[in-house]
Amino acid sequence: MLKNPAAKYRSFAPVGLKDRTWPDTVLTRPPAWCSVDLRDGNQALIEPMDIPRKLRMFQALVKIGFKEIEVGFPSASQVEFGFVRKLIDEELIPDDVTIQVLTQAREPLIRRTFESMRGARRVIVHLYNATAPVMRKVVLGLDEDGIVELATSQARLFQELATQQPGTEWVFQYSPEMFSGTELPFAKRVVDAVTGVWQPTPQRKCIVNLPSTVEHSTPNIFADMIEWMHRHLARRDSIVLSVHPHNDRGTGTAAGEFAVMAGADRLEGCLFGNGERTGNLDLVNVALNLYSQGVHPGLDFSDIDEIRGTVEHCNQLPVHPRHPYVGELVYTSFSGSHQDAIKKAFAARKEGDLWDMPYLPVDPKDLGRSYEAVIRVNSQSGKGGISYLLESEYGLELPRRLQIEFSQVVQGVMDASGKELTARELYELFSREYGVGGISAPTHQLVEEAGAAGTTVRLSADVVVGGRPVSVRGTGNGPIDAFVEGLSAVAGVEVRVLDYHEHAIGSGANAQAVAYLELRVGTRTLFGVGMDANIVSASLKAILSGVQRAQGNALNEPQAVAAAK
């Protein structure tokens, strides 16, 4: 890199639009959308789409709801020409969808393009020629007058060829290519000259498309350029003002949004931003940004994973896992503090509330994504994420202090492995640690005796403690109290219940009770967990779980937990 990049590169001059209005604009409706996946996106692929892949992409775009689709550059190759003919000849274009085709301002290419359109119901035919100073000087060898003559002569050819096919409804579109690098007065001059030829009306508009063919400036300057053109173009009421942003500076989405705020009526781009170099405007990003602000974009991304699969197949390029709204990881939090906030917000949210969730700009379910991947556990995670996965996937509602205790167990595993733990792996670790499913219900008998001081419960049970079978006999004001008294006597250590939580998982005949008991076993304070169809049995299992954890027994080994009978 140069120590003085100013010796080689220059900054982009501001427009100087002192009375700009676009920064205060609030978008309340979507722009018109035009997908260019099949043309601009296709020409950027290592291996351009064949006709079956182009057709699959076209059908996906129709299903999403695009009403304008640029289907190709029919003068570029026989595949491009043949695909356009296939759509027309096989009547594959829905009545409410208009196809668009592109051509350079060269007579043979224009004639070939119109030939490809024979029999079409309605077509946007898109003319472009370069206008920027570097293109005028180095590539075309034309001055400003020469560029205007080139554009207007080919615009007249458009009119001539269109009249030869009166059965087609023609919509003309013009792009001053490299508008982003063209002087604004000259961009206005050439556009006005073209619309002067076409003479659009408010009832029969043409499209003027202003591309940031290469993104040179910050998006605010591009917005100023669009607002300047919006104010100064002749016949503005007869023009659909379109923009076609690229993403060379990584700000294509902002440029597109700012352009609509500045007066643009229409956006051209691709699904997930495919396109040359760093890509075209990502139409999904802009559309779902609108959706997240309460504006329906008029496009349906209810099954965004299916759309991603189609795009990856057709483009033979992967979508990045961090890509906005669609990437595999974009709704996922690994950070413990993030997970804790999400868990608490989900618990507090009521159906019908406005969406106001930390770290989740939209509800993943609106886009066909489940909550399964919202929280994933690795070494950066905390108790909130761990407990969220156990609750959402397995119905376990861990008390807060148990969350803290088990998170330390998880952290030890994570520190050793350095890998992510899935919800299933967390559940298996929890089951091993607390003996869930491994401790059999103690065979027990209860006798209740009513007296002046209240009901007394006498309990007898046969259990395994420390690998040896023992008989427990105890008395208390309830089964738990009685079991703890008897167990303390035979275990050789005092057992006390400090806290108790229970809940049900499932309902009906398949319901299971889960008991979480915080215990003091000798000098140790720790939790035991039990699960059973009977709440008393679940509680007794939880006490055994805690005692055997305190004694260091492997709760998942059957010989250490089998009941005596």
Side-chain angles (χ1 to χ4, degrees), residues 18-167:
K18 302 302 183 186
D19 58 344
R20 63 180 64 85
T21 62
W22 65 263
D24 293 323
T25 300
V26 176
L27 298 179
T28 58
R29 58 186 178 87
W33 308 101
C34 178
S35 160
V36 296
D37 289 88
L38 289 165
R39 197 277 305 169
D40 202 351
N42 186 52
Q43 74 184 37
L45 300 178
I46 299 168
E47 181 183 329
M49 294 180 228
D50 55 18
I51 287 181
R53 281 190 288 147
K54 285 176 77 79
L55 182 58
R56 180 173 172 180
M57 177 69 83
F58 178 78
Q59 291 169 337
L61 294 168
V62 169
K63 184 178 179 181
I64 290 167
F66 284 96
K67 303 305 179 187
E68 296 179 358
I69 302 172
E70 191 166 76
V71 294
F73 201 142
S75 64
S77 70
Q78 187 56 45
V79 170
E80 294 286 287
F81 188 96
F83 178 65
V84 173
R85 291 311 316 162
K86 181 180 180 68
L87 293 178
I88 297 170
D89 293 339
E90 297 182 19
E91 299 182 350
L92 300 174
I93 307 167
D95 289 343
D96 62 345
V97 172
T98 300
I99 60 172
Q100 176 174 306
V101 290
L102 180 73
T103 178
Q104 289 173 295
R106 294 171 55 191
E107 182 173 341
L109 303 184
I110 293 172
R111 290 187 180 277
R112 178 69 166 164
T113 300
F114 273 84
E115 180 186 347
S116 74
M117 293 290 102
R118 289 195 177 276
R121 179 189 56 81
R122 188 174 190 268
V123 178
I124 299 168
V125 59
H126 182 182
L127 173 70
Y128 78 94
N129 63 273
T131 58
V134 66
M135 299 296 285
R136 299 196 304 256
K137 181 188 302 183
V138 176
V139 178
L140 299 175
L142 296 172
D143 60 11
E144 291 186 5
D145 292 342
I147 293 294
V148 172
E149 173 56 29
L150 172 65
T152 54
S153 64
Q154 304 311 306
R156 285 189 288 270
L157 181 59
F158 264 42
Q159 288 184 309
E160 175 190 332
L161 296 175
T163 59
Q164 297 173 12
Q165 298 184 49

Side-chain angles (χ1 to χ4, degrees), residues 436-491:
V436 176
I439 295 179
S440 299
T443 301
H444 64 275
Q445 294 180 336
L446 297 174
V447 177
E448 294 186 3
E449 299 176 354
T455 301
T456 299
V457 173
R458 299 185 184 278
L459 179 143
S460 61
D462 296 314
V463 301
V464 172
V465 178
R468 60 186 179 88
V470 296
S471 296
V472 174
R473 303 289 183 269
T475 303
N477 57 20
I480 293 175
D481 191 34
F483 187 63
V484 165
E485 181 197 67
L487 189 61
S488 296
V490 298

Side-chain angles (χ1 to χ4, degrees), residues 422-441:
T422 66
R424 181 182 179 86
E425 290 167 336
L426 281 173
Y427 182 74
E428 291 172 350
L429 178 59
F430 183 81
S431 298
R432 288 196 301 271
E433 179 67 24
Y434 294 95
V436 176
I439 295 179
S440 299

